[in-house]
Coordinates of all heavy atoms in Angstrom, one line a residue:
M106 N -51.6 -14.5 -42.9 CA -51.9 -15.1 -44.3 C -50.6 -14.5 -45.2 O -50.5 -13.3 -45.2 CB -53.2 -14.7 -44.8 CG -53.5 -15.1 -46.4 SD -55.2 -14.7 -46.9 CE -55.3 -13.0 -46.6
P107 N -50.1 -15.3 -45.9 CA -49.0 -14.9 -46.8 C -49.7 -13.9 -47.9 O -50.8 -14.2 -48.3 CB -48.5 -16.1 -47.5 CG -48.8 -17.2 -46.6 CD -50.1 -16.8 -45.9
D108 N -49.0 -12.9 -48.4 CA -49.5 -12.0 -49.2 C -49.9 -12.4 -50.7 O -50.8 -12.1 -51.2 CB -48.8 -10.6 -49.4 CG -47.4 -10.9 -50.0 OD1 -47.0 -12.1 -50.0 OD2 -46.7 -9.9 -50.3
Q109 N -49.2 -13.6 -51.0 CA -49.5 -14.2 -52.3 C -50.9 -14.8 -52.4 O -51.5 -15.1 -53.4 CB -48.4 -15.2 -52.7 CG -48.3 -16.4 -52.0 CD -47.3 -16.3 -50.9 OE1 -47.0 -15.2 -50.6 NE2 -46.6 -17.4 -50.6
H110 N -51.5 -15.1 -51.2 CA -52.9 -15.8 -51.1 C -53.9 -14.6 -50.8 O -55.1 -14.9 -50.8 CB -52.9 -16.7 -50.0 CG -52.0 -17.9 -50.2 ND1 -52.0 -18.7 -51.2 CD2 -51.0 -18.3 -49.6 CE1 -51.1 -19.5 -51.2 NE2 -50.3 -19.4 -50.2
A111 N -53.5 -13.3 -50.7 CA -54.5 -12.3 -50.4 C -55.1 -11.9 -51.7 O -54.5 -11.8 -52.9 CB -53.7 -11.1 -49.8
E112 N -56.4 -11.2 -51.6 CA -57.1 -10.7 -52.6 C -56.5 -9.5 -53.1 O -56.4 -9.2 -54.4 CB -58.5 -10.5 -52.1 CG -59.4 -10.1 -53.3 CD -60.8 -9.9 -52.8 OE1 -61.1 -10.7 -51.8 OE2 -61.6 -9.2 -53.2
L113 N -56.0 -8.6 -52.2 CA -55.3 -7.4 -52.5 C -53.9 -7.3 -52.3 O -53.5 -8.0 -51.2 CB -56.2 -6.2 -51.8 CG -57.6 -6.0 -52.0 CD1 -58.2 -5.1 -51.1 CD2 -57.9 -5.5 -53.5
R114 N -53.1 -6.6 -53.0 CA -51.7 -6.6 -52.7 C -51.4 -6.0 -51.2 O -52.1 -5.0 -50.9 CB -50.9 -5.7 -53.8 CG -51.0 -6.4 -55.1 CD -50.0 -5.9 -55.9 NE -48.6 -6.0 -55.5 CZ -47.6 -5.8 -56.0 NH1 -47.7 -5.3 -57.3 NH2 -46.5 -6.1 -55.6
F115 N -50.4 -6.5 -50.5 CA -50.0 -6.0 -49.2 C -49.3 -4.6 -49.4 O -48.9 -4.3 -50.6 CB -49.2 -7.0 -48.6 CG -49.9 -8.1 -47.8 CD1 -51.1 -8.5 -48.3 CD2 -49.3 -8.6 -46.7 CE1 -51.7 -9.5 -47.5 CE2 -49.9 -9.6 -46.0 CZ -51.2 -10.2 -46.4
Q116 N -49.2 -3.8 -48.4 CA -48.6 -2.5 -48.5 C -47.9 -2.3 -47.1 O -48.0 -2.8 -46.2 CB -49.8 -1.4 -48.6 CG -50.9 -1.7 -47.6 CD -52.0 -0.8 -48.0 OE1 -52.8 -0.3 -47.0 NE2 -52.5 -0.7 -49.2
L117 N -46.8 -1.4 -47.4 CA -46.0 -1.0 -46.4 C -46.7 -0.1 -45.3 O -47.3 0.8 -45.8 CB -44.8 -0.4 -46.8 CG -43.4 -0.4 -46.0 CD1 -43.0 -1.9 -45.8 CD2 -42.3 0.2 -46.9
D118 N -46.6 -0.5 -44.0 CA -47.4 0.3 -43.0 C -46.4 0.6 -41.9 O -45.5 0.0 -41.7 CB -48.5 -0.6 -42.6 CG -49.3 0.1 -41.4 OD1 -49.5 1.4 -41.5 OD2 -49.7 -0.5 -40.5
H119 N -46.7 1.7 -41.2 CA -46.0 2.2 -40.2 C -46.7 1.5 -38.9 O -47.9 1.8 -38.7 CB -46.0 3.6 -40.0 CG -45.1 4.3 -41.1 ND1 -45.5 4.5 -42.4 CD2 -43.9 4.9 -41.1 CE1 -44.6 5.1 -43.1 NE2 -43.6 5.4 -42.3
N120 N -46.0 0.8 -38.1 CA -46.5 0.4 -36.7 C -47.0 1.6 -35.9 O -48.2 1.6 -35.5 CB -45.6 -0.5 -36.0 CG -45.3 -1.8 -36.8 OD1 -46.2 -2.6 -37.2 ND2 -44.0 -2.2 -36.8
V121 N -46.1 2.4 -35.7 CA -46.4 3.7 -35.1 C -46.6 4.6 -36.2 O -45.5 5.1 -36.9 CB -45.4 4.1 -34.0 CG1 -45.7 5.6 -33.5 CG2 -45.2 3.2 -32.9
P122 N -47.7 5.1 -36.5 CA -48.0 6.0 -37.7 C -47.1 7.1 -37.7 O -46.7 7.8 -36.6 CB -49.5 6.4 -37.5 CG -50.1 5.3 -36.7 CD -49.0 4.9 -35.7
E123 N -46.8 7.8 -38.9 CA -46.1 9.0 -39.1 C -46.7 10.0 -38.3 O -46.0 11.0 -37.7 CB -46.0 9.2 -40.5 CG -45.0 8.3 -41.3 CD -44.9 8.8 -42.8 OE1 -45.9 8.4 -43.5 OE2 -43.8 9.0 -43.1
Q124 N -48.0 10.2 -38.3 CA -48.7 11.2 -37.7 C -48.5 11.3 -36.1 O -48.7 12.3 -35.5 CB -50.2 11.3 -38.0 CG -51.2 10.9 -37.0 CD -52.7 11.0 -37.4 OE1 -53.0 10.8 -38.6 NE2 -53.4 11.3 -36.5
H125 N -48.1 10.2 -35.6 CA -47.8 10.1 -34.2 C -46.2 10.1 -33.9 O -45.7 9.6 -32.9 CB -48.4 8.9 -33.5 CG -49.9 9.0 -33.5 ND1 -50.6 9.8 -32.9 CD2 -50.7 8.2 -34.1 CE1 -51.9 9.7 -33.1 NE2 -52.0 8.6 -33.8
G126 N -45.5 10.4 -35.0 CA -44.0 10.6 -34.9 C -43.2 9.2 -35.2 O -42.0 9.2 -35.0
G127 N -44.0 8.2 -35.7 CA -43.3 7.1 -36.2 C -42.3 7.2 -37.4 O -42.7 7.8 -38.3
P128 N -41.2 6.7 -37.3 CA -40.2 6.9 -38.3 C -40.3 5.9 -39.5 O -41.0 4.8 -39.2 CB -38.8 6.7 -37.6 CG -39.1 5.7 -36.6 CD -40.6 6.1 -36.0
S129 N -39.8 6.1 -40.7 CA -39.8 5.2 -41.7 C -38.6 4.4 -41.7 O -37.8 4.4 -42.6 CB -40.0 5.9 -43.0 OG -41.3 6.6 -43.1
T130 N -38.5 3.6 -40.6 CA -37.3 2.7 -40.4 C -37.7 1.3 -40.4 O -38.9 1.1 -40.1 CB -36.6 3.0 -39.1 OG1 -37.4 2.9 -38.0 CG2 -35.9 4.6 -39.0
P131 N -36.8 0.3 -40.7 CA -37.3 -1.0 -40.8 C -37.9 -1.5 -39.5 O -38.8 -2.3 -39.6 CB -36.0 -1.7 -41.0 CG -35.1 -0.8 -41.8 CD -35.5 0.6 -41.2
E132 N -37.4 -1.0 -38.4 CA -38.0 -1.3 -37.1 C -39.5 -1.0 -36.9 O -40.3 -1.5 -36.1 CB -37.2 -0.9 -35.9 CG -35.7 -1.3 -35.9 CD -34.9 -0.6 -36.9 OE1 -35.2 0.5 -37.4 OE2 -33.8 -1.2 -37.2
N133 N -39.9 -0.1 -37.6 CA -41.3 0.5 -37.5 C -42.2 0.3 -38.6 O -43.3 0.8 -38.7 CB -41.2 2.1 -37.3 CG -42.6 2.6 -36.8 OD1 -43.2 2.0 -36.0 ND2 -43.0 3.8 -37.4
L134 N -41.8 -0.5 -39.6 CA -42.4 -0.7 -40.8 C -42.9 -2.3 -40.9 O -42.2 -3.1 -40.3 CB -41.7 -0.5 -42.1 CG -41.3 0.9 -42.3 CD1 -40.4 1.1 -43.5 CD2 -42.5 1.8 -42.5
A135 N -44.1 -2.5 -41.4 CA -44.7 -3.8 -41.5 C -45.3 -4.0 -42.8 O -45.7 -3.1 -43.4 CB -45.7 -4.1 -40.3
W136 N -45.2 -5.2 -43.3 CA -45.9 -5.6 -44.6 C -47.3 -6.0 -44.4 O -47.4 -7.1 -43.6 CB -45.0 -6.7 -45.3 CG -45.3 -7.0 -46.7 CD1 -45.8 -8.2 -47.2 CD2 -45.2 -6.1 -47.7 NE1 -45.9 -8.1 -48.6 CE2 -45.6 -6.9 -48.9 CE3 -45.0 -4.8 -47.8 CZ2 -45.6 -6.2 -50.3 CZ3 -45.0 -4.1 -49.0 CH2 -45.3 -4.8 -50.2
A137 N -48.2 -5.2 -44.6 CA -49.6 -5.3 -44.0 C -50.7 -5.5 -45.1 O -50.6 -5.1 -46.2 CB -49.9 -4.1 -43.3
C138 N -51.6 -6.4 -44.5 CA -52.8 -6.6 -45.4 C -53.6 -5.3 -45.6 O -53.6 -4.5 -44.5 CB -53.7 -7.6 -44.6 SG -55.5 -7.7 -45.0
P139 N -54.0 -4.9 -46.7 CA -54.5 -3.6 -47.0 C -55.9 -3.4 -46.2 O -56.1 -2.3 -45.6 CB -54.9 -3.4 -48.4 CG -54.5 -4.8 -49.0 CD -53.8 -5.7 -48.0
R140 N -56.6 -4.5 -46.0 CA -57.9 -4.3 -45.1 C -57.6 -4.1 -43.7 O -58.2 -3.2 -43.1 CB -58.7 -5.6 -45.3 CG -59.4 -5.7 -46.6 CD -60.5 -6.9 -46.6 NE -61.0 -6.9 -47.9 CZ -61.4 -7.9 -48.7 NH1 -61.0 -9.0 -48.2 NH2 -61.9 -7.8 -49.8
C141 N -56.7 -4.9 -43.1 CA -56.3 -4.6 -41.7 C -55.6 -3.2 -41.6 O -55.9 -2.6 -40.6 CB -55.2 -5.8 -41.2 SG -55.9 -7.4 -41.2
N142 N -54.8 -2.9 -42.5 CA -54.2 -1.5 -42.4 C -55.2 -0.4 -42.5 O -55.0 0.5 -41.7 CB -53.1 -1.4 -43.7 CG -52.3 -0.2 -43.6 OD1 -52.0 0.3 -42.4 ND2 -51.6 0.1 -44.7
K143 N -56.1 -0.6 -43.3 CA -57.2 0.5 -43.3 C -57.9 0.5 -42.1 O -58.4 1.5 -41.7 CB -58.1 0.1 -44.5 CG -59.2 1.2 -44.8 CD -60.1 1.0 -46.1 CE -61.0 2.0 -46.2 NZ -62.1 1.9 -47.3
H144 N -58.3 -0.6 -41.6 CA -58.9 -0.8 -40.3 C -58.2 -0.1 -39.2 O -58.7 0.5 -38.3 CB -59.4 -2.2 -40.0 CG -60.2 -2.4 -38.9 ND1 -61.6 -2.0 -38.9 CD2 -60.0 -2.8 -37.6 CE1 -62.2 -2.3 -37.7 NE2 -61.1 -2.8 -36.9
K145 N -56.9 -0.4 -39.1 CA -56.1 0.1 -38.1 C -56.0 1.7 -38.3 O -56.0 2.4 -37.1 CB -54.6 -0.5 -38.2 CG -53.5 0.1 -37.2 CD -52.2 -0.4 -37.5 CE -51.2 0.3 -36.7 NZ -50.8 1.7 -37.3
G146 N -55.8 2.2 -39.5 CA -55.6 3.7 -39.6 C -54.4 4.1 -38.8 O -53.4 3.4 -38.6
P147 N -54.6 5.3 -38.2 CA -53.4 5.8 -37.3 C -53.6 5.5 -35.9 O -52.8 6.2 -35.1 CB -53.6 7.4 -37.6 CG -55.1 7.6 -37.8 CD -55.7 6.4 -38.5
N148 N -54.4 4.7 -35.7 CA -54.6 4.3 -34.2 C -53.4 3.6 -33.5 O -52.7 2.8 -34.2 CB -56.0 3.5 -34.0 CG -57.2 4.2 -34.4 OD1 -57.4 5.3 -34.1 ND2 -57.9 3.5 -35.3
L149 N -53.3 3.9 -32.3 CA -52.2 3.2 -31.5 C -52.9 2.4 -30.3 O -52.2 1.5 -29.7 CB -51.3 4.3 -30.8 CG -50.5 5.0 -31.7 CD1 -49.8 6.2 -31.0 CD2 -49.4 4.1 -32.4
A150 N -54.2 2.4 -30.2 CA -55.0 1.8 -29.2 C -56.4 1.7 -29.5 O -56.9 2.3 -30.4 CB -54.8 2.5 -27.8
G151 N -57.1 0.9 -28.7 CA -58.6 0.8 -29.0 C -59.2 0.3 -27.6 O -58.5 0.0 -26.7
L152 N -60.4 0.3 -27.7 CA -61.2 -0.2 -26.5 C -61.5 -1.6 -26.5 O -62.0 -2.0 -27.5 CB -62.5 0.6 -26.4 CG -62.6 2.1 -26.2 CD1 -64.0 2.7 -26.2 CD2 -61.9 2.4 -24.9
D153 N -61.1 -2.3 -25.5 CA -61.2 -3.7 -25.3 C -62.7 -3.9 -25.3 O -63.5 -3.3 -24.3 CB -60.6 -4.2 -24.0 CG -60.7 -5.8 -23.9 OD1 -61.9 -6.3 -24.0 OD2 -59.7 -6.4 -23.6
P154 N -63.4 -4.7 -26.2 CA -64.8 -4.9 -26.2 C -65.4 -5.6 -25.0 O -66.6 -5.4 -24.6 CB -65.2 -5.7 -27.5 CG -63.8 -6.3 -27.9 CD -62.8 -5.5 -27.3
E155 N -64.6 -6.4 -24.2 CA -65.0 -7.0 -23.0 C -64.9 -6.2 -21.7 O -65.8 -6.1 -21.0 CB -64.2 -8.4 -22.9 CG -64.7 -9.4 -23.9 CD -63.9 -10.7 -23.7 OE1 -63.3 -10.9 -22.8 OE2 -63.9 -11.4 -24.7
S156 N -63.8 -5.5 -21.7 CA -63.6 -4.7 -20.4 C -63.8 -3.3 -20.6 O -64.1 -2.6 -19.6 CB -62.0 -4.9 -20.0 OG -61.2 -4.3 -21.0
G157 N -63.8 -2.7 -21.8 CA -64.1 -1.3 -22.1 C -62.8 -0.6 -21.8 O -62.7 0.6 -22.0
A158 N -61.7 -1.2 -21.4 CA -60.3 -0.5 -21.1 C -59.7 -0.1 -22.4 O -59.7 -0.9 -23.5 CB -59.5 -1.4 -20.3
M159 N -59.1 1.0 -22.4 CA -58.1 1.5 -23.4 C -57.0 0.6 -23.6 O -56.3 0.3 -22.5 CB -57.7 2.9 -23.1 CG -56.8 3.5 -24.3 SD -57.9 3.6 -26.0 CE -58.9 5.1 -25.5
T160 N -56.7 0.0 -24.6 CA -55.8 -1.1 -24.8 C -54.9 -0.9 -26.0 O -55.4 -0.6 -27.2 CB -56.5 -2.5 -25.0 OG1 -57.5 -2.7 -24.0 CG2 -55.4 -3.6 -25.0
P161 N -53.5 -0.9 -25.9 CA -52.6 -0.7 -27.0 C -52.9 -1.8 -28.1 O -53.2 -3.0 -27.8 CB -51.2 -0.9 -26.3 CG -51.4 -0.8 -25.0 CD -52.8 -1.1 -24.6
L162 N -52.8 -1.4 -29.4 CA -52.9 -2.3 -30.4 C -51.6 -3.2 -30.5 O -50.6 -2.8 -30.0 CB -53.0 -1.6 -31.7 CG -54.3 -0.7 -31.9 CD1 -54.2 -0.1 -33.3 CD2 -55.5 -1.5 -31.8
F163 N -51.7 -4.4 -31.1 CA -50.7 -5.4 -31.2 C -49.7 -4.6 -31.9 O -49.9 -4.1 -33.1 CB -51.3 -6.7 -31.8 CG -50.2 -7.7 -32.0 CD1 -49.6 -8.4 -31.0 CD2 -49.7 -7.9 -33.3 CE1 -48.6 -9.4 -31.1 CE2 -48.8 -8.8 -33.6 CZ -48.2 -9.6 -32.5
H164 N -48.5 -4.7 -31.5 CA -47.2 -4.3 -32.3 C -46.5 -5.5 -32.7 O -45.7 -6.2 -31.8 CB -46.4 -3.4 -31.4 CG -45.4 -2.6 -32.2 ND1 -44.4 -3.3 -33.1 CD2 -45.1 -1.3 -32.3 CE1 -43.6 -2.4 -33.6 NE2 -44.0 -1.2 -33.2
P165 N -46.4 -5.8 -34.1 CA -45.8 -7.1 -34.5 C -44.3 -7.2 -34.2 O -43.9 -8.3 -34.2 CB -46.1 -7.2 -36.0 CG -46.4 -5.8 -36.3 CD -47.1 -5.2 -35.2
C166 N -43.7 -6.1 -34.1 CA -42.2 -6.1 -33.9 C -41.8 -6.2 -32.3 O -40.6 -6.4 -32.0 CB -41.6 -4.9 -34.6 SG -41.7 -4.8 -36.3
V167 N -42.8 -5.9 -31.5 CA -42.5 -5.7 -30.1 C -43.3 -6.7 -29.3 O -42.7 -7.4 -28.4 CB -42.8 -4.3 -29.5 CG1 -42.6 -4.2 -28.2 CG2 -42.1 -3.3 -30.3
D168 N -44.6 -6.9 -29.6 CA -45.4 -7.8 -28.8 C -45.3 -9.3 -29.1 O -45.0 -9.5 -30.3 CB -46.9 -7.3 -28.9 CG -47.1 -5.8 -28.3 OD1 -46.3 -5.5 -27.4 OD2 -47.9 -5.1 -28.9
V169 N -45.6 -10.1 -28.3 CA -45.8 -11.6 -28.4 C -47.3 -11.8 -28.6 O -48.0 -11.5 -27.7 CB -45.1 -12.4 -27.4 CG1 -45.4 -13.8 -27.5 CG2 -43.8 -12.0 -27.2
W170 N -47.7 -12.5 -29.7 CA -49.1 -12.7 -30.1 C -49.9 -13.3 -29.0 O -50.9 -12.8 -28.6 CB -49.1 -13.5 -31.4 CG -50.5 -13.8 -31.8 CD1 -51.4 -14.8 -31.4 CD2 -51.2 -12.9 -32.8 NE1 -52.6 -14.7 -32.1 CE2 -52.5 -13.7 -32.9 CE3 -50.9 -12.0 -33.6 CZ2 -53.5 -13.1 -33.8 CZ3 -51.9 -11.4 -34.5 CH2 -53.1 -12.0 -34.5
R171 N -49.4 -14.4 -28.4 CA -50.1 -15.1 -27.4 C -50.2 -14.3 -26.1 O -51.3 -14.3 -25.5 CB -49.3 -16.4 -27.1 CG -50.2 -17.3 -26.2 CD -49.5 -18.7 -25.8 NE -49.6 -19.4 -27.0 CZ -49.3 -20.7 -27.0 NH1 -49.0 -21.4 -26.0 NH2 -49.4 -21.4 -28.1
E172 N -49.2 -13.6 -25.7 CA -49.3 -12.6 -24.5 C -50.3 -11.5 -24.7 O -50.9 -11.1 -23.8 CB -47.9 -12.2 -24.1 CG -47.0 -13.3 -23.7 CD -45.5 -12.7 -23.5 OE1 -45.3 -11.7 -23.6 OE2 -44.7 -13.6 -23.2
H173 N -50.2 -11.0 -25.9 CA -51.1 -9.8 -26.2 C -52.6 -10.2 -26.2 O -53.4 -9.5 -25.6 CB -50.7 -9.1 -27.5 CG -51.4 -7.9 -27.8 ND1 -51.1 -6.6 -27.3 CD2 -52.6 -7.7 -28.6 CE1 -52.0 -5.7 -27.7 NE2 -52.9 -6.3 -28.5
F174 N -52.9 -11.3 -27.0 CA -54.2 -11.6 -27.2 C -54.9 -12.6 -26.2 O -56.2 -12.7 -26.0 CB -54.5 -12.2 -28.6 CG -54.3 -11.2 -29.6 CD1 -53.1 -11.1 -30.5 CD2 -55.3 -10.2 -29.9 CE1 -52.9 -10.1 -31.4 CE2 -55.1 -9.2 -30.8 CZ -53.9 -9.1 -31.6
F175 N -54.0 -13.4 -25.4 CA -54.4 -14.4 -24.5 C -53.6 -14.2 -23.3 O -52.8 -15.2 -22.9 CB -54.3 -15.7 -25.1 CG -55.1 -16.0 -26.4 CD1 -54.4 -15.9 -27.6 CD2 -56.5 -16.1 -26.4 CE1 -55.1 -16.1 -28.7 CE2 -57.2 -16.2 -27.6 CZ -56.5 -16.3 -28.7
P176 N -53.7 -13.1 -22.6 CA -52.8 -12.8 -21.4 C -53.0 -13.9 -20.3 O -52.1 -14.1 -19.4 CB -53.2 -11.4 -21.1 CG -54.5 -11.1 -21.6 CD -54.6 -11.9 -22.8
G177 N -54.2 -14.5 -20.3 CA -54.4 -15.4 -19.1 C -54.2 -16.8 -19.7 O -54.4 -17.8 -18.9
G178 N -53.6 -16.9 -20.9 CA -53.4 -18.3 -21.3 C -54.5 -18.9 -22.2 O -55.6 -18.3 -22.1
V179 N -54.1 -19.9 -22.9 CA -55.2 -20.6 -23.7 C -55.4 -21.9 -23.3 O -54.5 -22.6 -23.0 CB -54.8 -20.6 -25.2 CG1 -55.9 -21.3 -26.0 CG2 -54.4 -19.2 -25.8
R180 N -56.7 -22.3 -22.7 CA -56.9 -23.5 -22.2 C -56.5 -24.7 -23.2 O -56.9 -24.6 -24.4 CB -58.5 -23.7 -21.9 CG -58.9 -25.0 -21.3 CD -60.3 -25.1 -21.1 NE -60.7 -24.3 -19.9 CZ -61.9 -24.2 -19.5 NH1 -62.9 -25.1 -20.1 NH2 -62.2 -23.5 -18.4
G181 N -55.8 -25.6 -22.9 CA -55.4 -26.9 -23.6 C -54.1 -26.6 -24.3 O -53.6 -27.6 -24.9
L182 N -53.5 -25.4 -24.2 CA -52.2 -25.2 -24.9 C -51.2 -24.7 -23.8 O -51.5 -24.1 -22.9 CB -52.3 -23.9 -26.0 CG -53.2 -24.1 -27.0 CD1 -53.2 -22.9 -27.9 CD2 -52.7 -25.3 -27.9
P183 N -49.9 -25.4 -24.0 CA -48.9 -25.1 -23.0 C -48.7 -23.5 -23.1 O -48.8 -22.7 -24.0 CB -47.7 -25.8 -23.5 CG -48.1 -26.1 -25.0 CD -49.5 -26.0 -25.1
G184 N -48.3 -23.1 -21.8 CA -48.1 -21.6 -21.6 C -46.9 -21.0 -22.4 O -46.8 -20.0 -22.7
Ligands
ZN1686 ZN1 -55.9 -8.5 -43.0

């Protein structure tokens, strides 16, 4: 969602948090929704609710959305 349509102003966030050694460089910064940013916190991974496996969080500068969230593909959509 573009930030001009957001209820709260977006904020600059570190993809890899400073507490984990993430630098304040353009490659590690993202313009983030405050709610998502607060929810993410300093985490780098989370538990997959279906498999229970420790899973890296989506990194918008490195990961591909479809591959990260739909690794087996999406029915009806081209791979
Ligand atoms: Zn959000």
Side-chain angles (χ1 to χ4, degrees):
M106 172 173 59
D108 63 348
Q109 66 263 30
H110 299 298
E112 184 178 330
L113 301 171
R114 294 195 63 173
F115 277 29
Q116 47 196 217
L117 206 53
D118 179 36
H119 290 76
N120 292 313
V121 176
E123 289 179 290
Q124 104 177 35
H125 296 299
S129 295
T130 58
E132 297 78 19
N133 191 44
L134 296 173
W136 195 234
C138 160
R140 287 192 176 135
C141 293
N142 190 20
K143 184 178 179 186
H144 187 72
K145 173 188 170 282
N148 297 315
L149 294 171
L152 295 176
D153 183 312
E155 293 180 10
S156 69
M159 184 65 74
T160 306
L162 297 181
F163 178 74
H164 189 306
C166 299
V167 176
D168 298 324
V169 176
W170 183 273
R171 185 177 292 195
E172 292 172 9
H173 184 84
F174 291 104
F175 303 102
V179 180
R180 182 183 285 185
L182 294 178

